[in-house]
Amino acid sequence: MKNITILEAGLILRIVLAITMLSAVADRFGVWGAPGSHQVAWGNWDNFVSYTQTLNPYANQATAEILGGIATFFEVLLSLLLLFGFKTRLAALGTAFLLFFFGFAMAVSISVKAPFDYSVWTSVAAALLLANIGKTAFAVDNRI
């Protein structure tokens, strides 16, 4: 059996981090099902904004809408950069930064246990590891 290389491990990290974030984005737009469906966290944008407001209790509805939009924009952008392996180090650091603040907000607003239950800290660690790997397999960065 062949051992996995650092290049291949980096590829796996890129794909898993990207899919994780894109899955959350898909959920907030109802792709995984309607609100209340099995394994659906939000099911629509309004529920996601309400959750954003839970994580940012001092934010009013309009501010939560803006924060949710900003988070969604960066989740999509960073995911695409990771999938294509373009500016991978920067995308991985951005992912770690975004997820760290998400986990911190969960810990403060919900419970210290919440980010552990959703493996947020594991994803932060994975993104930081990816940022330090350097080159990965099948990356646009390798062509530049």
Side-chain angles (χ1 to χ4, degrees):
M1 185 168 151
K2 179 185 165 194
N3 291 333
I4 190 166
T5 68
I6 294 293
L7 291 174
E8 294 162 337
L11 172 64
I12 293 166
L13 282 174
R14 282 185 16 232
I15 291 170
V16 169
L17 285 167
I19 289 173
T20 298
M21 290 191 297
L22 289 174
S23 176
V25 170
D27 190 326
R28 67 191 69 150
F29 290 110
V31 172
W32 298 130
S37 298
H38 182 65
Q39 299 294 323
V40 172
W42 305 295
N44 63 36
W45 182 257
D46 291 336
N47 288 344
F48 171 69
V49 171
S50 293
Y51 181 71
T52 302
Q53 204 165 10
T54 299
L55 296 183
N56 301 278
Y58 299 107
N60 61 27
Q61 179 76 19
T63 303
E65 187 97 28
I66 292 167
L67 290 172
I70 291 169
T72 300
F73 170 79
F74 280 108
E75 284 173 289
V76 171
L77 175 66
L78 293 168
S79 293
L80 292 175
L81 291 173
L82 290 173
L83 282 176
F84 289 105
F86 182 66
K87 301 289 184 186
T88 303
R89 180 167 161 56
L90 182 63
L93 288 172
T95 299
F97 180 83
L98 186 67
L99 290 171
F100 173 82
F101 283 104
F102 172 58
F104 182 78
M106 287 177 79
V108 170
S109 301
I110 299 173
S111 75
V112 171
K113 184 178 175 291
F116 289 106
D117 290 348
Y118 292 96
S119 300
V120 177
W121 301 135
T122 305
S123 294
V124 171
L128 290 173
L129 179 62
L130 178 59
N132 286 289
I133 282 179
K135 291 193 176 212
T136 64
F138 303 106
V140 172
D141 288 340
N142 298 342
R143 308 267 184 220
I144 299 174

